[in-house]
């Protein structure tokens, strides 16, 4: 297996007025390409901060993030945007659809930020919506879709540029149990098709679908276990 992600002694301090909050403390982590990793821990343990750094949305206060061996935060702004657009997809608990755009338009959006534009972005977006099981809903507005359907659109948008790394912050937190399980099955399917998935959750049933679980407490890694039947 090849290494996709390395976090090397990563620290993150948040400034809140005159208070400094230590969100991550000396995190060292390696993630293999094609793995399915859950990041678990109580509220406030630094899970979302870790995911923001992996998604290049936030920069560590100290330490390095290597993606394919490339030192992410040493890159130029334009290279960083390219990494964010092409290599990484992110989904959140609340789907974050643009409400005035159809499912198809939401999914096509990241295609317009590519350095090399596609000839037919609508066809690409449609194919990805079909892949996540929403081929019959492409012209729906977000308000006309259920929570589970909106999360499928969000996942389609996250993978439309063919990233290596799919990050998900509590992606099933707003869903009922059966919809949750269907979304987890979709993530597993994408991971088996060669995507690396990192999923943040405080739900242990959700974490159980991952092959590896990293446990955070007070911003530090306090556990790292791999399921023995993992394939
Ligand atoms: N933008 C921010 N400004 C100040 N403090 C923050 C910010 N984001 C997170 N924190 C603090 O950092 C710690 C870790 O937060 P977070 O990463 O959101 O944890 P989790 O996702 O595990 O609940 C918490 O104490 C939180 O209050
Ligand atoms: Mg969080």
């Amino acid at each position: 297996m090849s290494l996709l992600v390395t976090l090397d002694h990563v620290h993150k301090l948040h400034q809140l007025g005159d208070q400094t909050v230590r969100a991550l403390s000396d995190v060292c982590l390696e993630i293999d390409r094609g793995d399915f990793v859950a990041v678990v821990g109580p509220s406030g343990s630094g899970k979302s901060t870790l995911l923001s750094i992996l998604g290049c949305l936030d920069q560590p206060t100290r330490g390095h993030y290597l993606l394919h061996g490339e030192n992410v935060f040493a890159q130029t702004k334009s290279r960083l945007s390219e990494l964010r657009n092409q290599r990484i997809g992110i989904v959140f608990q609340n789907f974050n659809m643009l409400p005035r755009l159809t499912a198809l338009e939401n999914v096509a959006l990241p295609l317009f930020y590519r350095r090399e534009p596609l000839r037919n972005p609508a066809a690409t977006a449609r194919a990805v919506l079909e892949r996540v099981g929403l081929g019959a809903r492409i012209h729906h507005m977000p308000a006309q879709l259920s929570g589970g359907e909106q999360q499928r659109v969000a996942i389609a948008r996250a993978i439309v540029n063919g990233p290596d790394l799919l990050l998900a912050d509590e992606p099933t937190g707003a869903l009922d149990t059966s919809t949750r399980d269907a979304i987890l099955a979709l993530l597993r399917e994408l991971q088996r098709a060669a995507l690396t998935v990192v999923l943040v959750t405080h739900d242990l049933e959700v974490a159980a679908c991952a092959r590896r679980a990293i446990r955070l407490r007070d911003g530090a890694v306090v556990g790292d276990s791999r399921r023995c039947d993992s394939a």
Side-chain angles (χ1 to χ4, degrees):
M1 251 193 210
S2 72
L3 206 55
L4 181 64
V5 164
T6 305
L7 292 181
D8 181 26
H9 297 284
V10 163
H11 295 254
K12 179 68 189 181
L13 304 175
H14 288 298
Q15 206 62 44
L16 195 62
D18 57 1
Q19 256 194 331
T20 302
V21 182
R22 177 173 288 279
L24 291 177
S25 187
D26 203 32
V27 171
C28 294
L29 208 56
E30 293 185 334
I31 297 174
D32 287 327
R33 184 183 279 284
D35 209 350
F36 193 131
V37 181
V39 177
V40 298
S43 174
S45 58
K47 304 183 298 298
S48 293
T49 301
L50 179 66
L51 211 75
S52 302
I53 289 173
L54 291 175
C56 307
L57 301 174
D58 208 359
Q59 195 166 337
T61 310
R62 198 139 62 83
H64 299 290
Y65 170 19
L66 308 183
L67 187 62
H68 303 283
E70 190 173 357
N71 188 345
V72 168
F73 291 105
Q75 304 304 313
T76 61
K77 263 198 178 144
S78 84
R79 176 65 185 145
L80 198 57
S81 317
E82 194 182 343
L83 282 175
R84 222 183 268 156
N85 177 248
Q86 308 272 297
R87 301 291 209 174
I88 300 166
I90 312 186
V91 299
F92 298 97
Q93 177 167 349
N94 296 318
F95 326 129
N96 295 3
M97 302 276 87
L98 292 181
R100 291 172 187 280
L101 299 184
T102 65
L104 188 75
E105 290 164 342
N106 266 286
V107 172
L109 217 49
L111 296 172
F112 295 103
Y113 296 97
R114 292 172 69 97
R115 184 162 287 176
E116 292 155 32
L118 295 183
R119 208 171 295 163
N120 193 345
T124 302
R126 179 195 292 259
V128 178
L129 277 164
E130 279 164 6
R131 188 168 171 207
V132 302
L134 277 190
R137 300 275 188 281
I138 64 172
H139 298 303
H140 280 54
M141 305 302 287
Q144 297 170 320
L145 297 170
S146 70
E149 288 171 338
Q150 287 190 58
Q151 195 58 297
R152 283 174 192 270
V153 177
I155 291 169
R157 184 179 54 187
I159 64 172
V160 73
N161 270 325
D164 309 291
L165 183 59
L166 179 64
L167 306 170
D169 195 347
E170 304 277 6
T172 59
L175 305 176
D176 62 69
T177 316
S178 68
T179 312
R180 174 194 78 180
D181 292 344
I183 291 293
L184 292 175
L186 173 61
L187 293 176
R188 277 303 302 255
E189 197 182 308
L190 295 171
Q191 175 252 329
R192 285 200 198 94
L195 200 64
T196 308
V197 178
V198 179
L199 169 80
V200 157
T201 184
H202 65 271
D203 180 341
L204 292 181
E205 281 184 50
V206 171
C209 80
R211 302 198 303 186
R212 176 182 174 195
I214 293 165
R215 184 171 300 278
L216 289 183
R217 191 188 301 146
D218 299 330
V221 176
V222 294
D224 190 345
S225 57
R226 185 168 279 286
R227 259 211 341 242
C228 41
D229 63 338
S230 67

